Amino acid sequence: MPSAEQWNWVFLAYAFTYVVLVVFVASIAVRINAARQRLGADE
Amino acid sequence: MTTRTSRSPRWPWVLLAISAAVAVTAAMVVGPDAVQGQLSRILYVHVPSAWLAFTAFGVTMLMSAMYLWKRDLAWDRRAHASAEIGVVFTGLAIGLGMIWAKPTWGVWWTWDARLTLTAIMFFVYLGYLALRRTTDDLEARAKRAAILGVLAVVQVPLVHFSVVWWRTLHQPPTLIKPEGIDMDASMFVTLMVSLAAFTTAYVAMMYKRVELARLEDELLVAERSTDGPVAGAAVSTPSIDGGA
C-alpha cells in the first residue's frame, strides 16, 4: 500500500479518536451544567 | 441537599488539551515501522486506549470493593465514573483496531479470540451502566453495581492473555511479556508519551465525571424530597376553577 494511502488511514484513526473523546468530554460538561442549573446552584 | 456555588474548575480540560497535543505531535514525528509503515502510528492511540480501558475497569473493581466494605456512596460514584470512561476507551480501542485491521488484515472485523472477548467486555460494562438505571434507590443501585463491578473485572486478564492462550490473528503482547520489550527505542518512548497523555486524560475525565455523578445523586435526592422533578416545580398546573 502506498505511503499516501497509509496516511489516510492514520488521519482517519486520529480523527475518530478526536471525535470520540471530544464528544464524551462535551457530554460530561453539558450534563454537569444541566445538573447545576436544575439544582439552582449555577452562578 | 448540599448546594454548591463555585463554578466547576477548568484545569482538567486544560491539562487534557495539552497532553493530547504533545502525544499527537510525538506520534506524527516518530519514524514509521519497517513492516507496517505509517499504519504503525495508529498503534500509538489504539494501545493506550486498550490499556486505559483495563485500568478504568480495574479502578471500577477497586472502588466497588471499597463501597461494599465501607458502604459510602462516594466510592460508588467513583466506580460509576471509571466504568463509563472505561466503556468509552474500550469502544475507542475497538474502533481504532478496526481502522488498523482493514488496511493490514484486509477485513474490518474477524471473530478472533482477542477481538471477541474485547467486544464481550464492552457489552458487559454497557450492561453495568444499564443496571445502574434500573432503580432510583441509591443504596440498592450502588450494591447491585458494586457486585457486578467486582465480578466483571475477571474479563481484563482474559482479554489480555487471550493472545497467549489461544492462536489468534491479533499479535501477541509486545511490551508486557517475560522476554522483555521487543520494540525500537524511539517507538517505545512515543508509546509511553501517548500512554502518559491518555492517563492524564483519564484522570481529568475522572475528576469531572465524579463531579457529575455527585450532582446527579444530589438531583435524585432533591427530586425525591420534592416528590417530582426539581425544574418546573414552581409552576402550578392550570385547573378548571382558575387555580384558586
Side-chain angles (χ1 to χ4, degrees):
Chain A
M1 181 183 287
S3 179
E5 199 175 328
Q6 290 184 350
W7 273 109
N8 289 340
W9 287 101
V10 172
F11 288 135
L12 175 64
Y14 279 78
F16 175 69
T17 306
Y18 177 80
V19 169
V20 168
L21 294 182
V22 165
V23 166
F24 180 59
V25 164
S27 86
I28 295 176
V30 166
R31 286 182 287 169
I32 285 176
N33 282 336
R36 280 175 168 266
Q37 282 180 2
R38 290 186 71 188
L39 282 166
D42 202 35
E43 285 185 336
Chain B
M1 184 184 85
T2 310
T3 56
R4 293 166 203 279
T5 53
S6 60
R7 287 196 70 82
S8 185
R10 295 187 192 281
W11 65 262
W13 301 144
V14 176
L15 202 61
L16 201 157
I18 293 170
S19 58
V22 170
V24 170
T25 305
M28 293 301 134
V29 169
V30 72
D33 179 69
V35 178
Q36 296 186 36
Q38 310 298 346
L39 293 172
S40 61
R41 298 180 197 283
I42 296 174
L43 303 182
Y44 300 123
V45 278
H46 170 69
V47 175
S49 297
W51 285 356
L52 261 296
F54 291 166
T55 304
F57 295 146
V59 169
T60 297
M61 186 274 286
L62 285 175
M63 299 299 115
S64 299
M66 286 303 292
Y67 171 76
L68 291 174
W69 182 27
K70 300 285 186 184
R71 300 287 168 168
D72 181 348
L73 286 171
W75 296 111
D76 173 60
R77 289 193 282 269
R78 291 171 193 139
H80 180 199
S82 195
E84 189 176 291
I85 297 168
V87 166
V88 170
F89 277 126
T90 307
L92 194 57
I94 291 173
L96 289 168
M98 291 170 75
I99 293 171
W100 177 85
K102 180 59 179 167
T104 310
W105 293 344
V107 290
W108 293 100
W109 182 266
T110 179
W111 293 104
D112 160 284
R114 165 63 70 87
L115 275 64
T116 306
L117 287 170
T118 307
I120 291 171
M121 183 173 77
F122 178 70
F123 285 112
V124 166
Y125 278 95
L126 273 182
Y128 170 93
L129 297 178
L131 179 70
R132 299 188 62 90
R133 291 175 162 269
T134 56
T135 178
D136 285 343
D137 183 330
L138 293 179
E139 282 75 24
R141 183 184 75 180
K143 186 180 172 187
R144 291 174 195 172
I147 291 169
L148 182 56
V150 169
L151 294 178
V153 80
V154 74
Q155 297 168 105
V156 170
L158 269 179
V159 170
H160 178 73
F161 289 110
S162 59
V163 288
V164 179
W165 293 339
W166 292 286
R167 285 180 60 187
T168 61
L169 189 57
H170 194 286
Q171 63 268 43
T174 308
L175 297 180
I176 306 172
K177 59 179 185 175
E179 299 83 33
I181 299 165
D182 182 19
M183 183 183 267
D184 182 78
S186 65
M187 296 176 79
F188 176 72
V189 169
T190 306
L191 185 60
M192 288 302 109
V193 167
S194 189
L195 180 63
F198 270 77
T199 307
T200 307
Y202 169 76
V203 172
M205 287 176 187
M206 267 297 277
Y207 184 87
K208 302 301 281 188
R209 187 59 188 79
V210 169
E211 179 187 349
L212 172 60
R214 183 179 41 83
L215 289 168
E216 286 174 338
D217 281 2
E218 285 179 13
L219 201 57
L220 209 58
V221 172
E223 284 178 353
R224 197 185 293 164
S225 64
T226 56
D227 200 21
V230 173
V235 180
S236 57
T237 313
S239 60
I240 267 176
D241 60 359

